[in-house]
Each structure stands twice: as C-alpha cells, then as structure tokens.
Amino acid sequence: MKRILTSIFMLVTLVVALSSCQDSNTNMRKKITGKAGELVVVVPDATWEGATGKRFREVMAQPQLGLPQDEPIFDLINVPPSAFKEIFRTSRNIIRLKISNSVDSSKVEFKRDIWAWPQAVVDIRVQSTEEFNTLFDQYSDRIVAFMMRAERDRLQMNYKNYHDVGTKNTIRDKFKIGLNVPPGFRVSKQSDDFAWIRYETPDISQGIIIHTFPYTSDSTFTASYLLNKRDSLLKTQVPGPSESSYMTTERQVPPVFNVFELRKNYAAEMRGLWRVEGDYMGGPYINLSVLDAANNRIVMLDGYVYAPRFDKRNLLRQVEAMMLSLELPDQKKNEKISSQIKMGN
C-alpha cells in the first residue's frame, strides 16, 4: 500500500512539474512586433532589386480593393539574410526567399509562431529564378490569403478577449447574434430591425450598421439587390451632417462582389465606396449579408470608415474583423438545413 501511494505521489508531482514547465514556456513566448499590415521579406538586395523582386512586389504590394486611394495590401520591408537578426525575427509577418542551386528541392512552406506569437511565416526555397516564377505563380494566391488571414485572426482574437460587453449584450438581445466589437463602440441609433454602432474621434469614424430582413428569394444574393437594399436603408436611417443629406453608395465605382460561405452559412460580400448625398463626405465600405436559414432571415452588416486625412486600409480591416466575428443563434440547425439543400442538389 505504501509503495502504491508513493508511486501515485511521484506521478502527481511529475504532472505538476510538466504543467508548470508548459506554463513557463507559454509565458516566455515573445510577442510579435511591428505594425499591422507590415511584411518582412528576407531576400538578398540584388534579388530584391531585380526582376524577381519586382514580380514579388507586384503581388504582395498590389492595391487593396475597395479603397478611395491606392494602398498596398502589405507594407513590405526588405531585409537581407545577413541582417535578419533578433530585431526582425519577432516580426508579425515574414517571408523568406532563397534562390540557390544548393536547395535540395523547390518548395513553399507555411509556418506559424517560429520566433514569436502569433506569427505567420512563409519559406520559399527554389533552385533557380525560373523555378521561383513557376512556384510563385502557383502559390501566390495562397500566400496572400495566408498572410491576410493571419492579420484578421489577430484582430479577431483581440476583439474576442477585449470587447465592449454592453454593446455586445445589446446586439445579442436585439438580434440574437454574437458580434465582438472593441471598447469605444456604442449603439447610437436603433429601431425594430436596425442598429447603428459607432466609434467616433475628432479624426476618424468607424461604424457598423446591422439590419435584418426576411429571406424570400435567391435573388437576394445578387449585387443589384443588395445595393438597392443598402441604399434604401441608408437613406432612411443614416443622415449626413447637413439638412436632407444622407449616406449612399458611390455608384460610379462598381463594387467588388463575392459569394462565399461564412462558417457554413451562405453569404455575400460587397466592397466599394460610400458618399453622402448633399454633402462632401465619403470613404470605403464593406457589406456582409448572411443567410440565417434557421430563422428564415438575412443578417446584413454594413461597415464603413471615414478618415479623410489618414490611410484607411487598416481601419477598414478592423471593421471587417468585427463583422466576420458574426455568430448566428441556431448554427447547428443552419448547418443541417444547408446539408439537406446540398444533398438535394
């Protein structure tokens, strides 16, 4: 009996020791550094200044869609391999490119949290410039998506951990949905199927307009229908600063429209520009319309940014991350309905 108790004691002690070690390792992890949207590219200067670097910049610094002025999807920082020391290794987004005949086989590897947390790293190793061009053409979309997702995940993690409880509860009680918005966002206006949450400073304005309406037809998920629905709502609910002015869509710039699945729910995304009819305000918007099949309704979230003196890419990404945190009340039922529809097709 004494031998058994001793063994149990030793086992418990070992488990506690291992847990303490794991906690210590977790606490010792370095946090990422750098600004949102920055991407460190580790590559020799000669390669960066040549055709390979130009091709790389065309993709990784392409203009962000749906903004009034050109802004790159990432702010690129070139670092030669010899300078890639500790100060750069904790960067939030890193791509390492090696072109050498000493490379065993050409490949692209996607990694996380190598030197810091939460970090995104892509390693591209090729034997020649020709192989880089071939491999980059094949993987470029995936690389962009990987880095964009990493940026969004960080924002959503922060908003999940540090959100405005009062605003979240108001949205939950009114619409039966979950939405994480950071402190400072307040419900400024609401009615039966509408709410307007805003964050205001003297320099910028960010907002999300929430609207629900019955789902009656598949034509709901078309750009023309959603644009008309958006403008009708904004005209009656979102006034501008001067008398008889109101927010509307800038129709001279066609929106970017995409249908996709958000957590297995049918959804549509629109990106474009808004303006104020009767005034001189404007900026970018992103519209997210999601089918809540279990409740036979559409949940429409319309996010916007007004920042006339500042870049807007990161501000709009913040709003997008809030919107994509959307959780519907009967998700399991929604998934069952979606599965039945797909089986029927």
Side-chain angles (χ1 to χ4, degrees), residues 193-262:
D193 56 7
F194 165 88
W196 182 6
I197 60 175
R198 306 163 66 182
Y199 174 75
E200 302 287 342
T201 76
D203 296 314
I204 68 169
S205 174
Q206 293 170 291
I208 298 176
I209 296 157
I210 307 172
H211 177 49
T212 59
F213 56 93
Y215 172 67
T216 57
S217 169
D218 290 346
S219 64
T220 298
F221 289 95
T222 61
S224 59
Y225 182 95
L226 292 174
L227 275 174
N228 290 333
K229 173 66 73 172
R230 179 180 194 271
D231 281 348
S232 176
L233 177 70
L234 296 178
K235 185 175 182 178
T236 58
Q237 298 287 6
V238 185
S242 56
E243 186 177 356
S244 301
S245 65
Y246 56 88
M247 182 183 282
T248 189
T249 304
E250 177 53 78
R251 298 281 184 142
Q252 294 186 18
V253 180
V256 179
F257 183 75
N258 181 40
V259 175
F260 68 110
E261 279 195 351
L262 177 64

Side-chain angles (χ1 to χ4, degrees), residues 73-121:
I73 58 173
F74 292 105
D75 301 319
L76 305 183
I77 301 172
N78 172 227
V79 177
S82 60
F84 186 58
K85 306 298 183 181
E86 190 67 26
I87 189 173
F88 291 112
R89 289 181 179 177
T90 55
S91 300
R92 58 200 300 121
N93 304 310
I94 299 171
I95 294 181
R96 296 188 296 176
L97 171 59
K98 182 176 182 179
I99 302 177
S100 171
N101 54 18
S102 65
V103 172
D104 293 334
S105 61
S106 297
K107 58 184 176 181
V108 176
E109 295 181 301
F110 299 83
K111 304 174 181 179
R112 291 189 182 273
D113 309 336
I114 297 180
W115 298 284
W117 174 88
Q119 186 181 61
V121 179

